[in-house]
Amino acid sequence: EVQLQASGGGLVQSGGSLRLSCAASGFTFDDYAIGWFRQAPGKEREGISYISSSDGRIYYKNSVKGRFTISIDNAKKTVYLQMNSLKPEDTAVYYCGAENVKYYDGNYYFPRPWYNMDYYGKGTLVTVSS
């Protein structure tokens, strides 16, 4: 059974930090790119950071660059998102998604559209108070 389990959300004051985790199971982790997405009320889901489990390439959306750090533990099949200097506009439900990129043979680019993901986990709510 495929599972992506996002956790680590919560309520934090502006300027604070949180670390999200995305634990994967049930698929060949090395074949996938993992992305963190978020969706605020009334807004479209947006991809904010991605990492390739095979070659470690990384991407950040401009709005989080310099504040968020994505990392991966291949042994634990877990992807992390360290979020520092949080702002009220970061408030959203955060999701992790996984896309099989094996057949691109390395010829793919970030960001990946949210609808390309093969799997999504349940979201975790991040609320940043001002």
Side-chain angles (χ1 to χ4, degrees):
E1 180 188 2
V2 171
Q3 283 196 342
L4 280 175
Q5 183 66 50
S7 61
L11 173 63
V12 64
Q13 287 190 330
S14 183
S17 298
L18 285 172
R19 189 175 85 150
L20 305 184
S21 299
C22 174
S25 62
F27 59 90
T28 307
F29 195 63
D30 289 351
D31 292 342
Y32 284 74
I34 308 297
W36 281 101
F37 302 79
R38 67 186 182 187
Q39 188 164 18
K43 293 191 176 181
E44 203 171 298
R45 187 171 297 191
E46 61 172 350
I48 57 171
S49 187
Y50 303 79
I51 190 165
S52 166
S53 58
S54 61
D55 61 21
R57 72 179 81 174
I58 284 173
Y59 167 89
Y60 299 102
K61 190 177 175 73
N62 281 344
S63 57
V64 306
K65 198 176 291 184
R67 301 188 297 124
F68 291 9
T69 302
I70 193 169
S71 61
I72 193 166
D73 185 330
N74 280 302
K76 294 183 178 180
K77 295 185 179 181
T78 300
V79 174
Y80 303 96
L81 187 69
Q82 178 66 43
M83 306 187 297
N84 298 329
S85 303
L86 282 161
K87 305 175 182 179
E89 51 264 42
D90 294 318
T91 294
V93 177
Y94 284 69
Y95 302 86
C96 57
E99 180 186 357
N100 190 330
V101 294
K102 176 181 179 180
Y103 297 106
Y104 289 102
D105 198 24
N107 295 314
Y108 63 93
Y109 302 94
F110 294 143
R112 310 297 294 166
W114 64 265
Y115 45 80
N116 265 29
M117 298 297 111
D118 295 295
Y119 308 115
Y120 272 108
K122 290 183 180 179
T124 185
L125 177 63
V126 172
T127 304
V128 185
S129 63
S130 57

